[in-house]
Amino acid sequence: MAETMLAAVWHGPKDVRLDTVPLPPPPPPGWVQIKVAWCGICGSDLHEYLAGPIFIPTTPHPLTGKAGSLILGHEFTGDVVAVGEGVTSVRVGDRVAPDACQHCGVCQPCREGRYNVCEKLAFTGLHNDGAFASLVNVPAELCYILPDGVDYEAGAVMEPLATGFKAVRMAGSILGLTVVVLGAGTIGLGTIMAAKAAGAGQIIVLEMSRARIAKAWECGADVVINPKEEDPVAAIKALTNGSGADVSFECIGNKHTGPLAVDVIRNTGTAIIVGIFEEPSAFNFFSLSGTDKKVVGSLAYTIEDFKGLARLMAKGAIKAEPLITGRIGLEDIVDKGFLELINNKDENIKILVHP
């Protein structure tokens, strides 16, 4: 009889179950097997829980062959316990924080080094079985070895922090500029810290939750505007001599905040869209063609972003601790994880799960 493990498996909207599943097989060539220490619940996991399938494939994925039910979880750390044939980049016993972007390696974006938008992109935990379980197999090339001084919990937050780090990198130099961050959830807070480390002159945050407003201040915001209390466009123009911000980062994924990210920037400014959207926005493209504004999409990160992020974390310029608001066992993932984040959104940022 095959050995089994407990795993959080997505079956459909509002249907994530703790299932007993077989242990993953020994890792194939080029892959490793990881014993999971901590795995964070991501906003994309919540999107899948509430309204999926969004990323989860409904027909066999071209890279993984997976469709439908699979094990969630992609923000994780753990120890390498087995390596496949030909693996030399990591060894058994290494503490790792894996990049989630499984990719083909041959399409144009991959050849450019931008495998985060691979034409056959497969996210661990969304297009292939993930880390809400005791063991998971991932490609060895995606494993970032945790440096001394970065513990398992901080390492589990590197994945969302890398998303904010990469978004700021996509904006180009923001030295001395005024930036707006829409949303002070996990990605927004990481973006605030990355923007501060990149030398932003003024960081304005739009957020309605009192608890998240406090986190925004803690992470380096210079101004926080509550859109429930004042018009954010008018308030930002008042702070910028009537022009608007230089750069905005949309970190919410709401049909109203997508267009707002364009409205809050000045003519010739840049809006970086980071949020995951469940539904389309109504948008007047004259707000671009009539202003020379730019809109840039930013998905995920690459291993190079992990490396840059780790350097900033080692210096204390970016910190994981403000993001972690809960730690639970796998057996509580639905009630104290997914439902807690949905029903008490204002009080929570990142809940980590220990399998």
Side-chain angles (χ1 to χ4, degrees):
M1 184 175 179
E3 291 187 74
T4 59
M5 63 181 181
L6 199 63
V9 181
W10 182 91
H11 289 277
K14 298 184 180 178
D15 187 9
V16 172
R17 306 174 202 166
L18 283 176
D19 290 344
T20 299
V21 301
L23 293 177
W31 286 53
V32 299
Q33 188 167 98
I34 298 170
K35 180 176 176 56
V36 179
W38 290 97
C39 184
I41 300 175
C42 177
S44 59
D45 296 322
L46 295 180
H47 284 299
E48 295 293 348
Y49 178 82
L50 290 169
I54 299 171
F55 284 112
I56 292 173
T58 56
T59 58
H61 189 276
L63 192 66
T64 68
K66 284 280 189 177
S69 296
L70 49 73
I71 301 170
L72 295 172
H74 60 273
E75 301 178 355
F76 70 103
T77 49
D79 299 301
V80 176
V81 294
V83 299
E85 182 182 347
V87 173
T88 58
S89 57
V90 293
R91 299 178 296 179
V92 170
D94 281 344
R95 300 184 315 122
V96 295
D99 173 339
C101 300
Q102 299 180 23
H103 54 279
C104 72
V106 298
C107 69
Q108 184 66 29
C110 281
R111 294 199 303 272
E112 293 175 359
R114 300 180 66 177
Y115 64 79
N116 58 296
V117 284
C118 168
E119 292 173 4
K120 296 180 180 179
L121 181 66
F123 257 67
T124 303
L126 291 171
H127 306 98
N128 209 350
D129 284 326
F132 285 137
S134 56
L135 294 170
V136 61
N137 289 348
V138 299
E141 65 178 325
L142 298 182
C143 291
Y144 179 71
I145 299 174
L146 291 176
D148 293 339
V150 178
D151 63 23
Y152 290 108
E153 293 185 14
V157 185
M158 284 187 72
E159 194 271 352
L161 284 174
T163 299
F165 178 95
K166 187 255 190 176
V168 171
R169 181 170 61 80
M170 291 288 286
S173 174
I174 59 171
L175 188 64
L177 300 185
T178 293
V179 306
V180 175
V181 178
L182 289 82
T186 305
I187 303 302
L189 294 173
T191 302
I192 293 167
M193 289 187 281
K196 189 176 183 67
Q202 181 176 218
I203 300 173
I204 303 168
V205 178
L206 304 187
E207 178 57 60
M208 296 187 292
S209 158
R210 293 193 180 280
R212 294 184 180 212
I213 286 172
K215 289 289 185 181
W217 288 121
E218 183 181 353
C219 289
D222 296 303
V223 178
V224 179
I225 295 169
N226 185 338
K228 286 196 294 189
E229 297 176 354
E230 57 183 321
D231 178 356
V233 176
I236 289 166
K237 286 189 174 183
L239 291 165
T240 55
N241 296 318
S243 296
D246 301 295
V247 180
S248 68
F249 297 92
E250 198 291 329
C251 301
I252 299 173
N254 181 278
K255 66 180 181 180
H256 300 297
T257 55
L260 181 60
V262 177
D263 292 340
V264 298
I265 58 175
R266 60 170 170 80
N267 290 3
T268 76
T270 302
I272 310 293
I273 308 299
V274 193
I276 302 300
F277 291 77
E278 293 180 1
E279 55 185 329
S281 297
F283 186 74
N284 182 354
F285 279 88
F286 185 69
S287 63
L288 302 179
S289 60
T291 60
D292 280 7
K293 294 180 181 181
K294 292 183 293 184
V295 176
V296 178
S298 182
L299 177 69
Y301 40 73
T302 69
I303 202 74
E304 293 303 313
D305 295 306
F306 272 61
K307 293 177 182 177
L309 170 65
R311 296 186 191 105
L312 293 179
M313 292 178 74
K315 293 174 17 178
I318 294 182
K319 300 178 181 180
E321 292 76 15
L323 277 61
I324 302 171
T325 55
R327 299 163 180 82
I328 61 174
L330 182 63
E331 65 277 6
D332 294 320
I333 191 170
V334 176
D335 290 340
K336 296 182 179 179
F338 285 87
L339 294 179
E340 173 67 19
L341 286 165
I342 292 164
N343 296 329
N344 297 299
K345 181 179 179 181
D346 289 355
E347 287 77 35
N348 291 287
I349 303 295
K350 180 62 59 182
I351 293 178
L352 300 184
V353 180
H354 178 61

